[in-house]
Amino acid sequence: MITIFYGKESFCQPLQKISHYLNDPLISENAKSFYQGKFRASDDDRTFSIIDSLKTSNNKTRPFYIFLVSKMLPKADGALSEALGLACKEFVEWNPNFLMSFLSSKNIDSAFIEDWADEIAGEFQIDCEPKEYPCIDSSFKNAANNCSAGNRKKLSSFYRLIRRSILEGRIIK
């Protein structure tokens, strides 16, 4: 675990109690059903709609969608893993403040950090083989351009985790 992630920044709405989201009419029925265990994440339209909700402009509902995507990551394989890898990579590049704030929240499972890093590392292995490290550097530059000074250390640490995931060969998809 990298201790830099324990600091707290207020760039995003923190994850509320889950009951808050389950009662929110702005949260999709697919998201609520997935959380309630009514279906498992797979490469289907219901799951992809949840992943697509990472792109929501609603800062109040986004934490729930990040949470749900984070729950999908450890068990994803095949087409689902590919969709998650791309979505997670795009999310960290375009919303680094939101992701760093979410992952550093004290009520978030610390395994989420490694899961996000591993999934994004897998995306680099698929898209950039055998030149993963230049791709990671380019992605970091994109993310850093969208990142506040207060979150840059966290972002840098996160990208080191991505590099370490590849170096240690933990990614087997």
Side-chain angles (χ1 to χ4, degrees):
M1 173 63 71
I2 297 199
T3 56
I4 292 174
F5 282 104
Y6 287 115
K8 186 150 179 157
E9 300 267 343
S10 60
F11 289 100
C12 70
Q13 177 79 23
L15 184 67
Q16 304 294 313
K17 290 184 179 183
I18 298 301
S19 60
H20 168 81
Y21 300 107
L22 296 177
N23 293 317
D24 188 333
L26 297 176
I27 297 290
S28 74
E29 288 304 315
N30 286 334
K32 292 174 186 178
S33 293
F34 173 73
Y35 177 78
Q36 294 166 336
K38 294 180 180 175
F39 72 92
R40 292 178 52 160
S42 64
D43 59 342
D44 63 15
D45 290 341
R46 293 182 301 179
T47 303
F48 292 148
S49 74
I50 296 167
I51 297 167
D52 286 344
S53 293
L54 285 174
K55 298 174 187 172
T56 183
S57 60
N58 187 331
N59 290 339
K60 293 182 180 179
T61 60
R62 188 181 297 133
F64 187 61
Y65 292 112
I66 299 171
F67 175 75
L68 294 180
V69 165
S70 299
K71 298 293 266 182
M72 292 177 190
L73 294 175
K75 297 177 184 172
D77 62 5
L80 175 58
S81 183
E82 289 179 30
L84 283 166
L86 180 59
C88 290
K89 178 184 168 287
E90 288 177 354
F91 192 77
V92 73
E93 288 176 354
W94 295 107
N95 295 292
N97 289 320
F98 216 101
L99 185 62
M100 295 303 101
S101 294
F102 178 86
L103 292 175
S104 66
S105 296
K106 62 183 173 186
N107 61 338
I108 298 302
D109 185 340
S110 61
F112 288 174
I113 299 165
E114 294 277 345
D115 293 342
W116 274 78
D118 288 349
E119 197 65 41
I120 294 169
E123 182 64 21
F124 287 122
Q125 287 181 312
I126 291 167
D127 284 351
C128 302
E129 186 180 11
K131 298 180 180 184
E132 296 93 345
Y133 296 115
C135 285
I136 292 170
D137 293 342
S138 176
S139 175
F140 175 74
K141 286 178 186 173
N142 289 337
N145 285 336
N146 293 314
C147 191
S148 71
N151 271 329
R152 283 241 173 87
K153 284 185 180 180
K154 292 176 193 176
L155 184 67
S156 181
S157 293
F158 182 72
Y159 270 83
R160 280 195 299 274
L161 286 176
I162 293 169
R163 289 169 95 44
R164 190 180 80 198
S165 290
I166 292 173
L167 184 63
E168 293 177 357
R170 290 195 314 242
I171 311 304
I172 301 172
K173 299 278 183 190

